[in-house]
Amino acid sequence: MAFESLTDKFSAIFKKIRGQSRLTEKNMDDMLKEVRIALLEADVNFKVVKEFTENIKQKAIGEQVYLKLNPSQMVVKIVHDELESLLGSGESEIKYQRNKPTVIMLVGLQGSGKTTSAGKLGYLMKNKLNKKVLFAACDVYRPAAIDQLSQIANQLNIDIYQKGTNYNPVDIAKEAKNKAFNEHYDVLIVDTAGRLQIDEPLMEELNKMQSSIEPDEILLLVDAMSGQDAINVAKTFNQKLKLSGIIMSKLDGDARGGAALSIKHLTGIPIKFSGIGEKLTDLDIFHPDRMADRILGMGDVMSLVEKVQTEIDEKEARKAASKMMNGSFTLVDMLEQLKQVKKLGSLGGLMKMIPGMPNISEEQQQAAEREMKTFEAIMNSMTEEEKLHPEILKNSRKVRIAKGCGKTNADINRMLKKFEQSKEMMKRLQQYKKSGRIPPGMNGLSGF
Ligand code: GDP
């Protein structure tokens, strides 16, 4: 995940500050020096770093934290707020038109993620916001781009306007807009051509397209891995096209994060979405405050809650919850739960969003995920009766199941133990339910 090393450094810096009983000008300066180094190492633009640390110092003095006895929280808050404002303070949402199609033009260098993001936006707008979406395939120079977009359109059941590669892209965009208007689409997403580097003919073409279709949004794809170069790309595109926002792609990679931290401040263009993987569901609305939380290692509860709400089948979740609460929770329910958790993407990504979890090592995360897969395999080899009444699992049955799924008796016993523990936890939770308090150790994922 991007920002990982920055998060580690911030944790270390704050730990040191927490160890101080008082903040003095000296230890404040020492801290700011470390913050400065951490940001520069994360490839944040040096001008941004300078302003950032100066602002923190100003605010800290303004708040008179030096006089306070335990000011570390205050410092963390100031750094958090400053980070949030660097990232853009407040969400920058797409403004949808009411009685006509909202036209969104996606621009950016080749490979930055335009076509994939067209698909991700299509998914978000169609499946989550219930909008009627049309794609326009205007990257006529890379035949694969049109195929790629057609496949995505097919997969999502979204209409696409395409004219192959021997057609003027500005005309395709114009005709697609007419279609969107006449056939009452809510959104038109225009995938445009990219180049390895900015070149004049491409800019001219995009410029003409802009004048012709007058998009409501021009979103620039910025690859988070491209570091500071991204700033110059954004500035040039913005001069020519007046961008309305940025989609920061590949934030799931190991980018140091400098581009994401600097770009809003240096260009004035807000980040509206972040790409966090290659799948069509891997697009998040960008929330500066939550990103600041995550960078500072505070987890990202809100994103988690949102993800859970949209990805988990609500009915299933409610059913499982009520079974847990009334004690009739079975292995079948546990398997169902595993499937739901899997829907949320990798467990690793999930853990990152839970406060207090960022320190779980990659190895531990992988072990947990492996365990889930093992349990699922075992349960797939069990009969319905065995799943409902695991107490009948004597040795001969275990040997049969182990053979069937390629696991061992020990794996089966471990799963049964985990199941017993989950049930035990549910019982305790029930006892505590009336008191309104959650018993210690139960506020994480139940047993996994
Ligand atoms: P385009 O040339 O701008 O249309 O770029 P594409 O949409 O074809 O994307 C280029 C590559 O980046 C593809 O392999 C995508 O799967 C990948 N990609 C796009 N967005 C993301 C993202 O957010 N995370 C990751 N890991 N890969 C991405």
Side-chain angles (χ1 to χ4, degrees):
M1 205 59 193
F3 299 118
E4 216 154 74
S5 125
L6 189 58
T7 301
D8 289 346
K9 283 180 194 143
F10 270 122
S11 293
I13 294 168
F14 291 149
K15 201 166 162 197
K16 230 189 250 173
I17 279 284
R18 268 195 292 274
Q20 316 274 350
S21 56
R22 286 173 67 92
L23 263 194
T24 61
E25 184 140 14
K26 166 86 176 67
N27 59 26
M28 185 77 189
D29 279 344
D30 288 347
M31 182 202 81
L32 287 176
K33 203 164 136 197
E34 287 182 42
V35 168
R36 197 173 299 128
I37 293 169
L39 291 171
L40 287 172
E41 281 177 358
D43 199 24
V44 178
N45 180 281
F46 73 96
K47 277 193 226 150
V48 174
V49 174
K50 190 158 179 281
E51 267 183 57
F52 184 80
T53 45
E54 273 167 11
N55 283 350
I56 291 175
K57 187 161 184 178
Q58 284 296 322
K59 287 197 179 140
I61 293 169
E63 301 275 354
Q64 295 197 313
V65 285
Y66 302 137
L67 303 177
K68 303 206 188 247
L69 221 76
N70 181 15
S72 65
Q73 284 307 72
M74 177 82 81
V75 172
V76 175
K77 187 176 177 338
I78 293 172
V79 174
H80 178 277
D81 291 352
E82 211 45 43
L83 208 48
E84 185 184 332
S85 102
L86 196 61
L87 287 163
S89 8
E91 285 139 49
S92 308
E93 292 188 3
I94 298 275
K95 289 181 196 75
Y96 292 99
Q97 301 291 326
R98 278 171 175 244
N99 299 314
K100 56 179 186 160
T102 305
V103 179
I104 301 171
M105 215 170 123
L106 295 181
V107 300
L109 295 184
Q110 194 173 313
S112 56
K114 280 182 304 301
T115 310
T116 315
S117 299
K120 290 174 179 179
L121 285 174
Y123 170 82
L124 179 87
M125 290 166 183
K126 175 173 183 267
N127 293 25
K128 308 257 172 84
L129 305 176
N130 250 334
K131 302 215 177 274
K132 187 179 171 196
V133 178
L134 177 67
F135 289 140
C138 298
D139 184 356
V140 297
Y141 309 104
R142 190 167 69 93
I146 299 182
D147 293 344
Q148 196 184 334
L149 193 64
S150 304
Q151 278 173 18
I152 293 172
N154 227 337
Q155 205 177 327
L156 294 175
N157 213 1
I158 285 179
D159 295 333
I160 176 168
Y161 189 81
Q162 57 166 316
K163 285 282 182 179
T165 50
N166 284 324
Y167 211 83
N168 183 326
V170 178
D171 292 340
I172 302 175
K174 181 82 192 158
E175 289 169 22
K177 184 174 174 183
N178 287 340
K179 177 180 167 72
F181 196 87
N182 293 333
E183 296 174 26
H184 308 289
Y185 284 87
D186 299 309
V187 182
L188 171 67
I189 299 174
V190 183
D191 185 26
T192 66
R195 296 278 199 279
L196 290 174
Q197 262 139 21
I198 289 175
D199 75 9
E200 208 41 47
L202 174 71
M203 284 301 166
E204 278 306 309
E205 177 183 305
L206 294 176
N207 218 258
K208 274 192 199 146
M209 196 181 285
Q210 177 186 23
S211 315
S212 169
I213 61 173
E214 298 178 333
D216 302 288
E217 297 271 350
I218 305 184
L219 301 179
L220 174 73
L221 258 296
V222 171
D223 178 341
M225 309 286 280
S226 61
Q228 289 303 304
D229 289 348
I231 311 290
N232 291 330
V233 170
K235 279 184 176 163
T236 313
F237 269 94
N238 196 34
Q239 271 162 12
K240 293 276 179 188
L241 297 170
K242 195 85 197 70
L243 302 170
S244 61
I246 285 169
I247 301 180
M248 183 68 62
S249 66
K250 309 186 195 178
L251 268 177
D252 52 311
D254 54 4
R256 286 175 290 167
L261 279 172
S262 318
I263 207 157
K264 163 72 170 62
H265 192 73
L266 292 177
T267 64
I269 313 160
I271 303 175
K272 295 199 170 180
F273 297 95
S274 52
I276 49 161
E278 294 187 87
K279 294 197 302 293
L280 293 174
T281 47
D282 289 336
L283 185 80
D284 280 347
I285 292 172
F286 188 78
H287 301 282
D289 52 341
R290 296 184 207 170
M291 190 53 89
D293 287 355
R294 197 181 290 180
I295 293 171
L296 295 183
M298 296 176 186
D300 192 346
V301 194
M302 291 300 285
S303 289
L304 178 67
V305 170
E306 244 172 38
K307 220 171 160 82
V308 170
Q309 276 171 350
T310 52
E311 294 296 325
I312 279 206
D313 183 333
E314 252 191 75
K315 251 206 311 222
E316 281 302 322
R318 227 177 289 138
K319 216 164 71 189
S322 90
K323 282 188 160 184
M324 281 178 174
M325 296 307 263
N326 68 26
S328 65
F329 187 68
T330 67
L331 269 174
V332 180
D333 302 316
M334 186 158 104
L335 180 62
E336 207 41 57
Q337 224 193 8
L338 290 185
K339 285 185 185 154
Q340 297 282 356
V341 172
K342 265 174 84 177
K343 267 197 201 170
L344 292 170
S346 82
L347 193 65
L350 197 71
M351 297 281 207
K352 284 257 153 49
M353 297 185 194
I354 302 171
M357 288 288 198
N359 289 335
I360 283 191
S361 72
E362 197 78 16
E363 236 167 66
Q364 283 169 307
Q365 287 171 17
Q366 282 169 3
E369 208 149 340
R370 269 200 307 273
E371 180 140 271
M372 275 173 43
K373 284 198 184 122
T374 303
F375 292 175
E376 193 173 358
I378 294 172
M379 277 190 253
N380 284 337
S381 283
M382 289 166 66
T383 63
E384 282 311 299
E385 197 196 359
E386 286 164 350
K387 281 187 242 177
L388 290 172
H389 305 285
E391 62 279 3
I392 65 172
L393 283 181
K394 299 292 175 267
N395 200 46
S396 58
R397 284 181 190 262
K398 285 184 192 167
V399 170
R400 190 208 79 235
I401 295 166
K403 241 191 209 159
C405 63
K407 304 289 169 196
T408 62
N409 267 26
D411 290 329
I412 299 175
N413 289 337
R414 209 176 55 252
M415 181 190 79
L416 292 175
K417 192 163 168 214
K418 204 118 226 185
F419 175 61
E420 284 309 318
Q421 284 169 348
S422 299
K423 269 199 346 196
E424 183 55 29
M425 272 198 189
M426 290 312 135
K427 244 190 253 155
R428 272 166 51 205
L429 183 61
Q430 223 185 351
Q431 287 159 7
Y432 277 85
K433 203 171 73 171
K434 284 199 188 91
S435 69
R437 282 188 304 126
I438 292 184
M442 288 203 50
N443 44 359
L445 287 174
S446 62
F448 292 101

